[in-house]
Amino acid sequence: LESFGIRLGGAGLGNILFPWATSIVYAKDHNLTRIQTTWKSLKLGTFIRKEKDKRMYYNLFTGRDGISGIRKFFLLNFSKKIKYFSDMDKLFDPFKHEHSYVKQELFKIVNPEHIKKANRFDSNSIAIHIRRGDFSIADSENLIREGGWNYQLPLKWYKTIIKKIRKFSNMPIYVFSDA
């Protein structure tokens, strides 16, 4: 289905941004044209769990970040000259020296409606995202401290961080959550 512009299940937005950033830097460095990233997603689990945020990403991006449509379909399905970027094993390494370029390219494809909404916030501020959604609750904090992935951080952790920030700064703090 990805060839038609929608993904079934799979990685969330943050995890998609890693291969996207890697691919745009790779394409720039090798003077290549990219195939458009498939942002739109259908995750059945979000419906089964009755989550408020279905994480479909249908209107976050303009869809103007590479080859799309029928040409994308044929390239993905019939070309042997495609380099795929699909994981985040190297995290920030492939693009850590390209911060400005990645930011510039991201702002080109973000739906302007979302840029307007973000600009309503004080730009000299701190944003904290407390994600609950499909993360498991760890039996103990030690599990997280020992490198366990896909677990909710306890709310106590966020409160502690905010208190530490308050000791040094009075900047506004915005809290975002899917809880």
Side-chain angles (χ1 to χ4, degrees):
L1 278 175
E2 189 162 336
S3 298
F4 293 106
I6 191 162
R7 292 178 306 110
L8 276 181
L13 181 61
N15 294 346
I16 299 169
L17 285 167
F18 279 95
W20 171 81
T22 301
S23 74
I24 64 166
V25 170
Y26 185 91
K28 178 185 80 131
D29 290 348
H30 295 88
N31 198 28
L32 300 171
T33 303
R34 289 184 56 259
I35 294 175
Q36 183 182 62
T37 301
T38 302
W39 300 106
K40 295 175 187 171
S41 177
L42 179 61
K43 298 173 186 291
L44 298 178
T46 61
F47 290 92
I48 292 167
R49 291 184 298 271
K50 298 180 181 169
E51 293 177 19
K52 185 177 177 183
D53 182 1
K54 304 299 185 228
R55 298 190 303 277
M56 296 173 68
Y57 319 127
Y58 67 94
N59 74 341
L60 290 180
F61 302 100
T62 62
R64 289 174 265 170
D65 69 324
I67 298 168
S68 62
I70 196 79
R71 190 166 169 218
K72 174 182 178 175
F73 173 81
F74 280 105
L75 285 170
L76 287 177
N77 290 289
F78 303 108
S79 177
K80 294 187 184 341
K81 296 181 179 181
I82 302 294
K83 179 164 180 65
Y84 288 92
F85 298 89
S86 61
D87 58 38
M88 50 183 272
D89 289 343
K90 296 177 184 171
L91 297 175
F92 296 95
D93 282 347
F95 53 90
K96 68 182 174 186
H97 299 293
E98 295 284 356
H99 174 266
S100 295
Y101 179 70
V102 171
K103 180 180 176 182
Q104 168 192 317
E105 292 301 301
L106 183 60
F107 274 94
K108 281 183 187 176
I109 65 168
V110 170
N111 185 330
E113 162 190 333
H114 298 297
I115 303 277
K116 280 187 217 169
K117 287 180 184 177
N119 285 335
R120 291 184 198 148
F121 293 98
D122 185 336
S123 63
N124 190 24
S125 62
I126 298 165
I128 298 175
H129 181 212
I130 302 176
R131 172 136 174 237
R132 294 295 187 226
D134 57 349
F135 285 124
S136 301
I137 299 171
D139 294 333
S140 77
E141 234 177 80
N142 288 339
L143 184 60
I144 297 169
R145 292 184 186 283
E146 292 167 3
W149 282 69
N150 223 25
Y151 291 99
Q152 293 179 6
L153 290 175
L155 284 177
K156 180 178 110 185
W157 183 86
Y158 293 98
K159 290 177 183 178
T160 301
I161 294 299
I162 290 170
K163 285 179 184 174
K164 286 180 180 179
I165 292 169
R166 281 287 166 246
K167 288 181 182 178
F168 300 99
S169 172
N170 284 325
M171 287 196 311
I173 297 174
Y174 297 104
V175 177
F176 300 89
S177 181
D178 59 351

